[in-house]
């Protein structure tokens, strides 16, 4: 997104998760409620698979609660989560080919007694494997990916619609839920999220100006 603006992470809003328990407390190594769908994943799952479950959890955590208040999510993470969860396909290279190929990693080498920095470069095969549709087959979930995606979007829509006054106040959005539904539930262009942030940033600037006038 242009300028990569970020929502505030200071403090925690009341009802910041729309009545949900904190999503980072979900235990994806056992039966868990994600997107309103019970995923019966074996509790003795292998560590490698648990890592990929965590990556899906992170995306859900960045998607469902953003915009409800100050809850530790930000607009850039929300945008990338929507792309990962709903639009990127292993079978459609055009949806992932432009993804950055190199990632810097830091870890501690116990044998050498020091931190090691390295750059990992992903191949096409690596990126394809990390796409959600590919991981879904790998993890052998008991529901189809399309069912999960549909349920997840229904849950997000309900969270925003049922808490619309709270969302509109927090983000500074004028008008009805229907006016902003697509941008808040399933945006397909980063400019849709940018349009929300224009109102959010303007609201914050007005709040700062009022504070300064009162000081």
């Amino acid at each position: 997104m242009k300028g990569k603006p970020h929502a505030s992470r200071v403090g925690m809003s009341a009802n910041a998760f729309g009545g949900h328990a904190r999503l980072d407390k979900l235990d994806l190594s056992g039966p868990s409620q994600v997107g309103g769908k019970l995923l019966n994943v074996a509790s003795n799952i292998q560590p490698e698979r648990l890592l990929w479950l965590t990556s899906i959890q992170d995306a859900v955590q960045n998607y469902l609660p953003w915009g409800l208040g100050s809850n530790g999510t930000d607009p850039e993470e929300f945008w990338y989560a929507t792309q990962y969860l709903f639009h990127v396909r292993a079978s459609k290279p055009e949806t992932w080919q432009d993804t950055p190929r190199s990632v810097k990693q830091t870890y501690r080498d116990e044998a050498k007694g020091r931190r090691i920095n390295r750059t990992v470069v992903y191949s096409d095969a690596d990126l394809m494997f990390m796409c959600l549709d590919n991981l879904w087959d790998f993890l052998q979930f008991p529901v189809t990916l399309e069912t999960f995606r549909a349920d997840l979007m229904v849950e997000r829509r309900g969270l925003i619609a049922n808490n619309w006054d709270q969302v509109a106040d927090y983000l500074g959005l004028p008008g009805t839920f229907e006016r902003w539904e697509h941008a808040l539930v399933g945006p397909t262009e980063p400019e849709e999220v940018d349009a929300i942030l224009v109102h959010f940033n303007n609201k914050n600037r007005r709040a700062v100006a009022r504070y300064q006038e009162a000081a």
Side-chain angles (χ1 to χ4, degrees):
M1 288 179 289
K2 300 172 183 176
K4 295 185 178 179
H6 292 271
S8 171
R9 289 178 178 270
V10 178
M12 187 70 71
S13 299
N15 195 36
F17 295 93
H20 280 218
R22 288 187 53 156
L23 292 171
D24 58 351
K25 300 299 183 184
L26 289 176
D27 177 12
L28 286 180
S29 63
S32 303
Q33 194 73 22
V34 181
K37 194 70 180 180
L38 187 65
L39 304 180
N40 297 308
V41 183
S43 59
N44 61 345
I45 193 166
Q46 299 172 0
E48 181 187 35
R49 296 195 176 197
L50 183 58
L51 173 65
W52 295 117
L53 281 169
T54 302
S55 72
I56 297 172
Q57 175 197 14
D58 288 344
V60 171
Q61 181 181 334
N62 288 328
Y63 171 68
L64 280 180
W66 181 70
L68 286 162
S70 181
N71 55 22
T73 59
D74 78 31
E76 186 178 359
E77 291 173 343
F78 168 75
W79 164 250
Y80 286 120
T82 63
Q83 299 311 292
Y84 175 74
L85 292 167
F86 303 113
H87 302 299
V88 174
R89 299 286 194 280
S91 59
K92 295 183 177 180
E94 65 273 15
T95 65
W96 50 261
Q97 277 182 333
D98 294 334
T99 301
R101 298 299 181 112
S102 60
V103 177
K104 293 183 178 179
Q105 295 182 343
T106 301
Y107 67 97
R108 181 172 179 79
D109 188 318
E110 296 299 337
K112 296 180 179 179
R114 60 187 177 89
R115 295 172 68 85
I116 303 294
N117 296 313
R118 68 174 182 176
T119 298
V120 177
V121 179
Y122 293 121
S123 65
D124 281 0
D126 294 329
L127 293 178
M128 287 179 65
F129 177 76
M130 289 185 283
C131 292
L132 182 58
D133 53 337
N134 204 33
L135 285 180
W136 204 262
D137 293 336
F138 173 71
L139 293 168
Q140 300 179 334
F141 281 112
V143 295
T144 67
L145 177 55
E146 292 312 313
T147 295
F148 174 77
R149 282 173 166 150
D151 287 351
L152 194 60
M153 195 168 282
V154 166
E155 183 160 339
R156 167 71 178 175
R157 183 178 289 109
L159 277 173
I160 300 302
N162 294 335
N163 296 282
W164 178 243
D165 289 345
Q166 173 183 324
V167 172
D169 179 67
Y170 175 70
L171 293 174
L173 297 178
T176 64
F177 163 69
E178 287 73 19
R179 174 179 173 181
W180 297 98
E181 179 178 359
H182 190 269
L184 286 167
V185 176
T188 52
E189 299 295 335
E191 289 77 12
E192 294 179 85
V193 182
D194 283 334
I196 294 172
L197 295 183
V198 168
H199 293 282
F200 179 73
N201 292 333
N202 286 341
K203 185 206 78 167
N204 286 343
R205 279 193 287 268
R206 290 192 297 269
V208 170
R210 287 194 299 269
Y211 175 81
Q212 291 175 337
E213 289 174 0

